[in-house]
Amino acid sequence: MNEPLDSLSANTKTTDQDEALLLDTLKHYFGYEKFRNGQAEIINSLLQGQDSLVLMPTGGGKSLCYQLPAVLLPGITIVVSPLIALMKDQVDALRVNGIKTAFFNSSQPQEEQEQTLRDLKNNVLDLFYVAPESLFLLESTLLEIKINLFAIDEAHCISSWGHDFRPAYTKLGILKTQFPK
C-alpha cells in the first residue's frame, strides 16, 4: 500500500478519490475507520504543502497528522522530538504497522546510528525521528535527501519560561530557510 501520493488534488478542495485514499491509508496502517475531529483537515493541508500549527490535547491524535502524510508523500518526514522514550515507542509502533521508520539519538550504539544514517541516505524510510540537539549535526545528510515535511513535536519545549525548555528548539526556525519547500 505504501505508494507515494502523486495525484492528490492540488487545490484546497479534496475530491472523493482523495478522501477515499486517506481513509484507506488510515485503516491500512493505523487501524482506524475514521479521523478524529480536525485530523483530515490538517492532513490535507500538509499534503498540499501548507505549513500548519497543530494544537491538540495529549492523546488527541497530533502524531497521526504527520505520520499519515509521511506514508503517502514521496521522500522522508523528519520528526523533531525531544523525548528519547517517546521516539522509541512511536518508532516501534509504526514498524509494527508496516511503516518504515527510524530514530537517531545519543542512546544508540554507533553501529546502529551509522545504519540509520545509511537508511536515511538511501531513502528507505518514511519517517525519521531526531532530537533537536542532533538535528543540526545531520545537516549535510539532510541536504542530500528529499524531505517532504518537518514535524516539530512537543513544541512547548521552546518556551524559556517552562521547565521543559530546550535551547535547541530556538534554532529550528532556520529550517524554513534551509529547506524552503
Side-chain angles (χ1 to χ4, degrees):
M1 167 116 199
N2 194 5
E3 302 168 16
L5 182 66
D6 295 323
S7 61
L8 186 76
S9 299
N11 60 34
T12 56
K13 285 188 130 181
T14 57
T15 66
D16 290 341
Q17 187 177 11
D18 295 339
E19 293 212 15
L21 176 62
L22 294 181
L23 288 171
D24 286 348
T25 305
L26 179 69
K27 174 70 173 162
H28 180 80
Y29 287 104
F30 301 96
Y32 299 116
E33 299 287 337
K34 62 182 182 173
F35 290 104
R36 291 183 182 177
N37 189 29
Q39 285 180 320
E41 294 83 2
I42 294 163
I43 290 168
N44 279 315
S45 176
L46 292 174
L47 289 172
Q48 293 167 15
Q50 298 174 359
D51 292 343
S52 298
L53 173 64
V54 178
L55 297 173
M56 292 178 149
T58 300
K62 292 180 294 291
S63 297
L64 179 79
C65 293
Y66 59 79
Q67 291 169 345
L68 190 144
V71 173
L72 293 175
L73 292 170
I76 299 168
T77 294
I78 307 296
V79 182
V80 180
S81 178
L83 306 171
I84 291 173
L86 179 61
M87 274 188 223
K88 182 171 179 359
D89 289 349
Q90 288 198 352
V91 166
D92 289 346
L94 291 165
R95 285 178 176 167
V96 166
N97 290 346
I99 298 172
K100 297 173 288 192
T101 186
F103 64 87
F104 182 93
N105 64 48
S106 60
S107 74
Q108 298 168 293
Q110 183 177 352
E111 307 82 47
E112 187 176 339
Q113 287 180 336
E114 289 170 357
Q115 181 60 53
T116 298
L117 292 179
R118 278 192 298 276
D119 290 346
L120 183 64
K121 289 178 183 179
N122 292 327
N123 200 32
V124 298
L125 301 173
D126 295 316
L127 284 128
F128 179 72
Y129 286 77
V130 61
E133 292 80 5
S134 299
L135 182 68
F136 296 103
L137 300 174
L138 304 176
E139 183 177 356
S140 63
T141 301
L142 296 177
L143 290 168
E144 296 176 21
I145 63 174
K146 177 167 178 42
I147 298 172
N148 55 38
L149 68 91
F150 282 94
I152 312 301
D153 208 0
E154 305 294 333
H156 63 274
C157 293
I158 199 168
S159 172
S160 61
W161 297 286
H163 68 283
D164 292 331
F165 177 58
R166 300 282 285 266
Y169 267 82
T170 63
K171 299 176 183 169
L172 295 177
I174 197 162
L175 294 175
K176 189 70 175 163
T177 306
Q178 287 183 304
F179 304 93
K181 301 275 181 192

